[in-house]
Amino acid sequence: MAERASTQGEETAGVATVGKAIEVLDLIYEFGRPVRFKELQAASRFPKPTLYRFVQTLTEHGMLSFDPDRNVYFLGIRLVRLAHAAWRHSMIAPVAQPHLSALANQIGEAVYLSRLDGGQCVCLDRGAPDDLAGMFLDVNRIYPSYCTAVGKAMLACLPEEELDRALTQQSFHRMTDATITEEAVLRRELDQTRERGFAIEDEEHIRGILAVAVPIMTPVGSLLGGLGIHAPDRRTDLAKLKSQLPEIQKTAGKIARDAADWSFPEANQHNAKSGI
């Protein structure tokens, strides 16, 4: 019994250590640039010796890199390799890119593929028309859900328990004068989103940017991600963006079907052999 308790204690300590190391990585990511140790220390909750130990261990394992000339730390190449592997293994990102490019060139606006992670939006990929390439949001960046069209489109599709959890993870920070900053108001917006089948962003995240978005759902109704159009109000308006919704919804359906086929090749092969 004592041996089992000792083992459980070691496992708990190990999990806590991993969690703290991830917290350090997240903190460096949030700076959005190479960071000096003193800056990291000022922003961290850990004592200096603990933080230094984590930073050195992460550097030794390639999760962080250190530039001695500038005396700064930044996310390491091992994380880049892991990120690329995660992207390739996602059930939606690898199959979506051709559809994103085709849709972008068809409607003449940039389109974005996102998923929910910890209640926030992660931009997985984008498609841009040839004349607008390179002008829009970065892939792999994290964006708030409560004030973006694609975020609201995905939140509106969550089961009640998952939605409650996701809403506790929203910051409700005011980005612009139009930002929703209260949970009750957001819930009403999500009710409207469910009823109409798409979400709207009217300068809520970035001043001057408009967007519409739809969820990407599996055939059995599980959320895969979200697909949206972003454009500046100097070039378009919400009515024009809404007019593109049939094509956006059609593309979301194509991505969902391709993702389902790609995700379960073994099951598909088994079904074919069984005559199912």
Side-chain angles (χ1 to χ4, degrees):
M1 183 68 71
E3 182 178 349
R4 180 183 299 176
S6 175
T7 301
Q8 290 176 341
E10 291 174 0
E11 291 177 351
T12 301
V15 171
T17 300
V18 171
K20 291 174 182 178
I22 293 173
E23 185 175 332
V24 173
L25 291 173
D26 283 341
L27 188 58
I28 293 175
Y29 167 80
E30 289 170 3
F31 272 89
R33 58 172 174 78
V35 58
R36 294 177 179 272
F37 183 82
K38 286 186 177 180
E39 294 177 300
L40 192 60
Q41 183 185 353
S44 173
R45 67 185 179 91
F46 301 127
K48 181 178 178 180
T50 301
L51 179 62
Y52 184 79
R53 185 171 66 252
F54 280 128
V55 167
Q56 293 306 304
T57 300
L58 290 167
T59 302
E60 290 172 5
H61 288 275
M63 298 294 188
L64 292 178
S65 294
F66 178 67
D67 183 344
D69 294 330
R70 293 185 294 163
N71 198 31
V72 293
Y73 293 91
F74 51 94
L75 298 180
I77 193 65
R78 188 171 187 179
L79 284 178
V80 175
R81 291 199 301 269
L82 292 173
H84 286 171
W87 189 92
R88 289 194 304 271
H89 295 157
S90 166
M91 70 170 61
I92 188 171
V95 300
Q97 221 299 312
H99 297 299
L100 299 179
S101 297
L103 178 62
N105 282 303
Q106 179 180 357
I107 66 178
E109 298 289 354
V111 296
Y112 295 91
L113 175 74
S114 299
R115 65 176 172 83
L116 278 179
D117 187 354
Q120 309 305 309
C121 288
V122 179
C123 183
L124 294 177
D125 209 343
R126 69 177 182 183
D130 296 336
D131 59 337
L132 296 177
M135 294 178 59
F136 297 95
L137 300 177
D138 294 334
V139 173
N140 295 326
R141 290 292 298 274
I142 298 175
Y143 298 94
S145 300
Y146 66 95
C147 60
T148 55
V150 71
K152 289 186 287 185
M154 292 188 288
L155 288 174
C157 295
L158 293 178
E160 195 63 30
E161 184 175 337
E162 291 183 32
L163 176 60
D164 290 343
R165 184 164 56 251
L167 292 185
T168 65
Q169 298 170 312
Q170 306 306 308
S171 66
F172 290 109
H173 177 73
R174 185 176 294 281
M175 303 292 189
T176 72
D177 292 340
T179 304
I180 294 174
T181 57
E182 297 178 15
E183 181 178 323
V185 178
L186 178 59
R187 284 185 180 273
R188 290 195 293 270
E189 174 76 9
L190 296 180
D191 288 339
Q192 295 174 1
T193 298
R194 290 187 202 96
E195 291 176 6
R196 64 188 173 221
F198 63 91
I200 294 171
E201 178 186 331
D202 190 357
E203 300 189 69
E204 298 162 50
H205 181 215
I206 300 173
R207 191 181 306 277
I209 295 296
L210 309 174
V212 296
V214 301
I216 303 173
M217 309 293 292
T218 68
V220 295
S222 298
L223 179 66
L224 282 175
L227 179 64
I229 314 176
H230 295 234
D233 60 1
R234 67 178 180 274
R235 196 174 66 241
T236 190
D237 55 40
L238 282 175
K240 291 179 181 177
L241 293 183
K242 289 179 187 178
S243 71
Q244 306 291 355
L245 280 166
E247 294 304 321
I248 301 172
Q249 291 166 328
K250 186 185 301 182
T251 299
K254 291 177 181 178
I255 294 172
R257 286 192 295 273
D258 285 358
D261 292 341
W262 182 85
S263 299
F264 308 106
E266 297 85 357
N268 291 339
Q269 292 171 7
H270 173 75
N271 291 342
K273 291 178 181 178
S274 303
I276 298 176

